[in-house]
Amino acid sequence: LEMSSLGNRLLSFRSLSTSSRLPMYNNPYIARFKERSLVSDGHHKKSTGLTGLFVNEHPHRSLSVVYSRILKALGQMPKDYAYRTFTEQIVKRRLALVQTETNIQELEQKIGMGQIEEVIEQAEYELEACRSIVESKAWEPLVEEAPKNQWTWPIA
Amino acid sequence: MLRRLVPLASRGASAAPFSSAATTEAAQEKKPTIWKIDEKTRDKLANFGRYAAQCLPKFVQQVQFAAGDELELLIHPTGVVPVLSFLKGNHSAQFTNLTFICGVDVPARQNRFEVVYSLFSVRFNARIRVRTYTDEVAPIESATPVFKGANWFEREVYDMYGVWFNNHPDLRRILTDYGFEGHPFRKDFPLSGYNEVRYDPELKRIVYEPSELAQEFRKFDLESPWEQFPAFRNESMAAAYEKIELNPTEKK
C-alpha cells in the first residue's frame, strides 16, 4: 500500500508546477517575506536573484523620487563643494536617463550598474551619505591636525 | 620567456641575456605567491584617495598607501560616521561591505588606541582602510547606523582595548569572561593575565586566584648572527607607508 502511494506521489510530483511542489522544509525567510516578494505576472522578471532585494515593479517612479531627494539634500551644501558638483553631475545624468528611457532592461544597460533594484539601493545609500554630510558639514576645513607623532610608523 | 622582456637595444645595456635585471624578472615570474602590484589599479586608488580627501576636507588628515597597494584614509575621530557613510553611499565608491573593525594599541603615543575600519567594494573590487585614533577616555561614534555588521566588531574593540563607542545598540563584553577585569589586548596587560582559574575539589567549584607562574618570565634572544633580509639592506624602515600628495602641483 505504502509503495503504491509513494509511486503515485512520484508520478504526481513531476506533473505539479514548481510553485505547488512540496518544499523540503519550511524556510522561515520565505514565509516572512512572502508578501513582499510577490511579483505581478506582467513583469519581465520574477526575482532579482539577490537575497533581500525584492523586485521593484515601478523603478522609474522610485528612482526619480530618490534622485530628487538627493538633489534637494545637495542643495543644502555650498556651491563650490567638490562632492556636491560631482554627485550632482552623476545624479542629473542618471535622472535624465530615467526620464527618457521607459524600457527597464534598456535602462539597466544604459546605466551599466547592474540591475535596476541595485541602482535604487545605491541611490538610497547616496541619500543617506548626503544627509550625513550635511549634518556634519564635511566641507569645512580640517577640524584638527593629528598630534605630532600620531601617524608615524615606526614610532621612533 | 626572455623574448617577453624589454628589447635589449632600448635598455642600452650589454646584450648578455643573463644580466641581473633579466634574472630578477624571470625569478619574479616564477614566484606566483608574491603579489604583483598593478600600476593601473594603484593609480585608480590614488585618484580615489585624492577625491575622498577633496570631498571630506574636514576629517581626512592624510591619505597613504600601505604596502604599495592598500589605500588608507587617516581621519579625525569625530568624522567616523560621515566618512563611512560617504564611502558606502557615494556612486563612485560603493564600499558596501565592512570587512572588519579592529584596534591597535601604541602606548607611546598621546592617543594610544587606533581604530581601523576595513571596507570592500563589490561593484569595483576595491579595498580601503579608514583609521582613527583615540585615547583611553574619549569615546568614538559607533558605525552601527551605517553598517549593521559593526555591532560585534565594536563590542570586541571595547572588550579588548577599552575604547567606548557612543550610540552603540548593545556595548558590552563579548570575548572575556563575565566579571573579567581589564582589557586584554592592551600592551600593558601581561601575557598570562592577572587571575587564573582552576577547579577546587574541596570547594567543588571553580575558583579564581591570582596567577602564579612556576618560573620567572624568560625573554629569549632569538636573533640569528646572520643577516636575514639581504635584499632589503638599503630600505628604510618607514618605506612601507607612501603618502599620497593631495595637491601635487599647487603647493609648489
Side-chain angles (χ1 to χ4, degrees), chain A residues 22-28:
Chain A
L22 276 176
M24 256 204 305
Y25 64 97
N26 285 322
N27 189 336

Side-chain angles (χ1 to χ4, degrees), chain B:
Chain B
M1 188 166 59
L2 286 172
R3 272 188 223 107
R4 284 212 267 143
L5 297 173
V6 171
L8 297 172
S10 66
R11 260 195 280 149
S14 63
F18 296 112
S19 62
S20 55
T23 42
T24 45
E25 280 196 47
Q28 275 284 322
E29 283 178 27
K30 277 189 192 157
K31 288 183 188 172
T33 50
I34 294 193
W35 178 252
K36 285 192 200 76
I37 295 179
D38 186 15
E39 279 303 321
K40 283 185 219 152
T41 37
R42 192 177 189 277
D43 288 333
K44 278 189 197 163
L45 281 172
N47 279 330
F48 177 74
R50 277 185 221 111
Y51 167 65
Q54 221 186 348
C55 284
L56 300 155
K58 190 174 179 183
F59 306 115
V60 172
Q61 289 165 348
Q62 204 180 312
V63 183
Q64 63 188 23
F65 271 120
D69 215 14
E70 304 170 13
L71 188 62
E72 283 194 353
L73 279 185
L74 311 179
I75 62 174
H76 189 267
T78 49
V80 166
V81 169
V83 170
L84 289 178
S85 72
F86 165 81
L87 290 174
K88 181 184 180 189
N90 195 9
H91 278 104
S92 40
Q94 290 182 42
F95 289 98
T96 46
N97 204 333
L98 179 74
T99 311
F100 63 77
I101 304 178
C102 74
V104 184
D105 180 22
V106 185
R109 293 178 181 160
Q110 215 182 349
N111 299 305
R112 74 188 276 200
F113 300 120
E114 257 185 48
V115 182
V116 183
Y117 301 80
S118 171
L119 302 169
F120 177 62
S121 166
V122 180
R123 175 72 54 193
F124 300 119
N125 190 11
R127 292 183 185 268
I128 194 172
R129 274 202 297 272
V130 179
R131 286 163 62 175
T132 25
Y133 53 82
T134 181
D135 55 17
E136 291 164 39
V137 210
I140 286 192
E141 216 35 62
S142 169
T144 34
V146 186
F147 291 106
K148 279 278 174 295
N151 201 323
W152 278 19
F153 286 121
E154 290 181 345
R155 271 178 69 185
E156 186 192 346
V157 171
Y158 164 67
D159 195 15
M160 295 290 114
Y161 292 95
V163 178
W164 184 264
F165 290 92
N166 281 334
N167 301 324
H168 189 271
D170 187 21
L171 194 64
R172 54 191 161 95
R173 63 175 76 254
I174 190 169
L175 292 170
T176 49
D177 196 4
Y178 305 103
F180 186 91
E181 282 160 15
H183 296 283
F185 280 5
R186 290 189 179 184
K187 290 281 192 275
D188 43 4
F189 193 90
L191 187 59
S192 28
Y194 294 118
N195 299 325
E196 61 183 16
V197 187
R198 66 175 181 90
Y199 177 76
D200 193 330
E202 289 150 31
L203 297 170
K204 293 214 173 68
R205 61 172 169 84
I206 54 159
V207 293
Y208 290 78
E209 286 167 345
S211 34
E212 289 168 6
L213 298 171
Q215 290 178 353
E216 235 177 62
F217 187 83
R218 288 178 288 172
K219 192 167 186 316
F220 293 102
D221 177 23
L222 300 163
E223 192 154 346
S224 146
W226 290 277
E227 188 180 8
Q228 295 302 304
F229 296 107
F232 298 94
R233 223 177 272 167
N234 299 322
E235 294 255 344
S236 91
M237 270 185 91
Y241 290 117
E242 293 146 16
K243 188 171 163 181
I244 297 179
E245 283 302 323
L246 297 172
N247 300 312
T249 48
E250 287 169 27
K251 279 207 171 146
K252 285 179 188 164

Side-chain angles (χ1 to χ4, degrees), chain A residues 101-118:
Chain A
E101 182 62 61
T102 41
N103 182 330
I104 297 175
Q105 277 144 321
E106 283 294 307
L107 183 58
E108 283 176 6
Q109 283 287 326
K110 282 189 181 172
I111 294 181
M113 278 287 174
Q115 299 187 51
I116 204 75
E117 286 81 14
E118 292 179 296

Side-chain angles (χ1 to χ4, degrees), chain A residues 36-106:
Chain A
R36 240 198 275 181
S37 61
L38 288 173
V39 185
S40 73
D41 288 325
H43 207 69
H44 64 93
K45 64 182 171 195
K46 278 280 176 206
S47 116
T48 58
L50 302 169
T51 307
L53 200 58
F54 301 107
V55 176
N56 190 324
E57 294 190 37
H58 307 279
H60 294 86
R61 191 205 305 162
S62 321
L63 269 178
S64 40
V65 162
V66 184
Y67 284 147
S68 57
R69 283 188 186 151
I70 293 177
L71 290 171
K72 210 166 86 168
L74 287 174
Q76 298 174 9
M77 302 180 193
K79 281 210 163 58
D80 57 346
Y81 184 33
Y83 175 70
R84 174 177 174 167
T85 45
F86 286 120
T87 317
E88 264 184 350
Q89 229 177 35
I90 299 175
V91 170
K92 283 186 176 162
R93 204 190 311 153
R94 294 260 175 105
L95 197 53
L97 276 174
V98 166
Q99 281 161 349
T100 48
E101 182 62 61
T102 41
N103 182 330
I104 297 175
Q105 277 144 321
E106 283 294 307

